[in-house]
Amino acid sequence: MAIVTGAGQGVGQGIALALASEGVEIAVLGRTAAKLETTCELLRERGVRAEPFTCDVLKTETIPGVVDQVVETFGGVDILVNNAYSGTYGPLLSMDDRAFQKGFVSGPFAAFAFMKACHPHMKARGGGNIVNLVSSSMVRWDPTTYGAYAAAKQALRSLTRTAAAEWGPDGIRANSIAPHALSPGLKQWTEAFPEEAEEFRKTIPLGYIGECEQDIGRAVVALVGPDMRYLTGATLPLDGGQAFFG
C-alpha cells in the first residue's frame, strides 16, 4: 500500500491514480476533506481500497500519529510519496523569515517526519520505496523569485540521498523526482496568460507540459516497481528535457 501526500488534486492525485491502476491500495492525505474523498472515489473506481486522512504537513508534530492511523487501517506501508508542499515564492529581499521557513517546514521537515515514521513499518515488511518530489528550479541558472522554493527542494533532495545510503541495508529505496506537470495551478496560469504559456512550452524539448497521471504517475509506478530495484538515491527529471541535472 502507498501513502501519497497532497493527493487531493494535481500531481499527487495523478500519482495515486497511476498506482491504483496497478492494484496498489492508497492512503490519500491532504488538508481538504472534500478533495480527498473525490480522489478516493476515483481510486475505488479502479478497484482498490482508498481511505482519506486529513493532514496538514505544516503541523509536523502530527505526522507520526497520522502514519500510525494509516498503518492501523491498512496493516502496513510499502510506498511513501512526499508530494505535499506549501511554500512561498518571490524575491529574497521581499520575503520575511517566517515565509522563508514555511517551505522548509512543509518540504524537508515534513518529509523527514513521514520518512522516519514509515521506516520501521517498511523495514518490518522487508523493505519499501520512498519518492520525494523536488524541482528543476534547484538547478535553474537563474532561480529569480524561486530561491526559497529551490532551497527547500534542494534540502529535500539531499535528505533523499542520505536516506538511500543509510536505509539501503533495510531494503528501503529512496529516490526523488523533479516533475513538470499540468497541475490545477499551472493550468489556470496557462489559460490566463496564453502567450506567456506558449513561450514557456517552447522551452520544453518534448514540446508539451506533462500530464499528472500519464507522465508523472506512470513514471512513479516504474520507479517503485521491481524493474528499478537497483536504483536508489537518484533524482529523476520528469520535465520533458527542460532542465539539466548534473
Side-chain angles (χ1 to χ4, degrees):
M1 70 80 52
I3 293 174
V4 183
T5 72
Q9 63 182 2
V11 173
Q13 185 184 75
I15 293 172
L17 288 167
L19 289 169
S21 293
E22 300 300 314
V24 179
E25 297 181 333
I26 311 288
V28 179
L29 273 61
R31 291 180 299 179
T32 307
K35 291 182 179 180
L36 301 184
E37 191 53 50
T38 296
T39 297
C40 284
E41 290 175 2
L42 293 173
L43 298 173
R44 291 165 188 154
E45 289 175 1
R46 301 199 181 189
V48 302
R49 183 181 184 187
E51 301 294 342
F53 296 86
T54 304
C55 177
D56 183 348
V57 294
L58 286 169
K59 300 176 180 179
T60 57
E61 71 279 1
T62 68
I63 289 173
V66 173
V67 172
D68 286 343
Q69 292 176 31
V70 171
V71 171
E72 183 178 351
T73 301
F74 287 92
V77 58
D78 305 290
I79 300 165
L80 168 65
V81 179
N82 281 306
N83 164 67
Y85 175 82
S86 179
T88 306
Y89 306 89
L92 296 179
L93 290 179
S94 67
M95 189 176 303
D96 61 34
D97 290 350
R98 187 181 182 89
F100 184 82
Q101 293 165 6
K102 183 180 180 182
F104 280 83
V105 174
S106 67
F109 278 72
F112 183 47
F114 273 109
M115 291 161 67
K116 284 199 303 179
C118 287
H119 175 274
H121 302 292
M122 289 182 173
K123 183 178 179 180
R125 290 161 80 94
N129 276 279
I130 296 168
V131 179
N132 292 327
L133 274 73
V134 293
S135 169
S136 61
S137 65
M138 302 181 306
V139 296
R140 185 178 297 179
W141 178 252
D142 179 10
T144 300
T145 72
Y146 286 89
Y149 177 66
K153 292 297 186 177
Q154 190 68 271
L156 181 54
R157 186 187 187 190
S158 296
L159 176 64
T160 308
R161 175 63 189 168
T162 303
E166 294 184 358
W167 298 352
D170 299 324
I172 299 172
R173 294 194 292 123
N175 291 288
S176 301
I177 63 170
H180 184 58
L182 200 59
S183 63
L186 184 56
K187 186 176 182 179
Q188 290 174 5
W189 177 77
T190 59
E191 293 173 349
F193 304 97
E195 293 183 3
E196 293 179 31
E198 177 59 19
E199 290 301 313
F200 180 76
R201 185 195 62 77
K202 290 178 180 179
T203 67
I204 303 173
L206 287 183
Y208 71 97
I209 299 172
E211 295 291 336
C212 292
E213 179 180 355
Q214 183 176 354
D215 295 309
I216 310 305
R218 295 306 308 176
V220 171
V221 168
L223 187 59
V224 302
D227 290 343
M228 302 285 274
R229 69 176 193 169
Y230 204 50
L231 182 67
T232 193
T235 299
L236 186 66
L238 299 174
D239 60 2
Q242 187 185 49
F244 171 74
F245 279 77

